[in-house]
Amino acid sequence: WLNDEHIQRDYELLAQELQRENPDLAVRTRLVDPLIAHYHLRLGSDNAALRAFQRIVYDRNGNDIADFMFLPVNDASATDPDRRGSHWSLLMVDRRERERPVAYHYDSAGRLNDQPAAQLARRLGAHLEPTRITQQQNGYDCGVFVLDGTRALVGRLGQRRQPARLHLDYLAVDRQALQNRLRG
């Protein structure tokens, strides 16, 4: 199973790769730390969520430059200590139209994370659109789907594909490649 540290580490590696290979897209893309997505944006107070959102989308000069946000979604509960979270999915928010951001939810276990994803999309002021992703065949690869799905979507955005074509029906995850990346 992957935890938030694994996801954050692979997001850091992807950000470095993106900076080298496509600096323009790197400037406009935010790979959000899972803890920020979960505790600040989704479950935090309105003030905490607003501050976290502003730190994510604004650059040092106060310009809102984040067109794309990738947010790991976890099913942990803020009120039930027995629900620590056992499933990851991905929410990609397309903010190119600032007044009408669109969120795409990719859940490799069907609709297991629909409620937390909808809650996060609402907090971000984004309209949630249905999307498709390959379904996992086991009970433990959801985090790999989040990371490989993020990489596939970033790659497609780098090719300037439209969000409507960003379904991940044929995503093939590679657990070994992820292990190799994380080992360095």
Side-chain angles (χ1 to χ4, degrees):
W1 287 28
L2 297 182
N3 61 33
D4 49 351
E5 290 95 5
H6 296 114
I7 292 172
Q8 179 58 24
R9 177 63 185 139
D10 199 55
Y11 270 12
E12 290 167 359
L13 294 170
L14 177 56
Q16 292 167 4
E17 293 168 24
L18 191 55
Q19 185 62 46
R20 278 191 313 273
E21 297 166 13
N22 192 337
D24 177 59
L25 182 59
V27 167
R28 300 179 300 120
T29 301
R30 298 295 183 271
L31 304 166
V32 180
D33 181 316
L35 293 175
I36 300 296
H38 182 71
Y39 290 109
H40 294 275
L41 293 174
R42 185 176 143 232
L43 299 176
S45 68
D46 289 344
N47 285 338
L50 178 61
R51 284 192 308 273
F53 178 76
Q54 290 171 338
R55 283 192 305 272
I56 292 166
V57 300
Y58 290 104
D59 68 7
R60 293 180 194 139
N61 299 319
N63 300 309
D64 181 348
I65 60 170
D67 287 345
F68 305 105
M69 296 172 63
F70 291 86
L71 304 111
V73 178
N74 190 274
D75 62 347
S77 171
T79 56
D80 183 353
D82 293 329
R83 276 196 38 222
R84 294 187 180 156
S86 61
H87 181 60
W88 292 104
S89 61
L90 173 65
L91 192 71
M92 185 198 94
V93 180
D94 181 343
R95 301 183 64 246
R96 288 178 289 183
E97 290 186 42
R98 296 294 192 264
E99 299 303 315
R100 286 180 294 210
V102 179
Y104 299 92
H105 183 223
Y106 300 89
D107 192 336
S108 62
R111 302 184 64 180
L112 192 62
N113 268 1
D114 275 3
Q115 181 183 7
Q119 185 181 20
L120 183 55
R122 270 192 309 278
R123 291 296 294 273
L124 298 172
H127 172 74
L128 190 58
E129 285 287 326
T131 192
R132 298 182 309 270
I133 187 171
T134 302
Q135 297 298 286
Q136 67 188 67
Q137 300 301 308
N138 57 41
Y140 52 82
D141 271 344
C142 55
V144 182
F145 274 86
V146 167
L147 294 173
D148 285 0
T150 298
R151 286 176 173 274
L153 291 167
V154 167
R156 290 183 188 175
L157 291 171
Q159 299 168 353
R160 304 197 191 307
R161 295 222 182 152
Q162 294 300 314
R165 296 190 183 109
L166 293 181
H167 294 292
L168 296 174
D169 300 282
Y170 302 104
L171 179 68
V173 297
D174 189 342
R175 176 177 275 283
Q176 187 61 53
L178 173 60
Q179 289 173 340
N180 293 340
R181 284 193 309 269
L182 294 178
R183 284 188 189 123

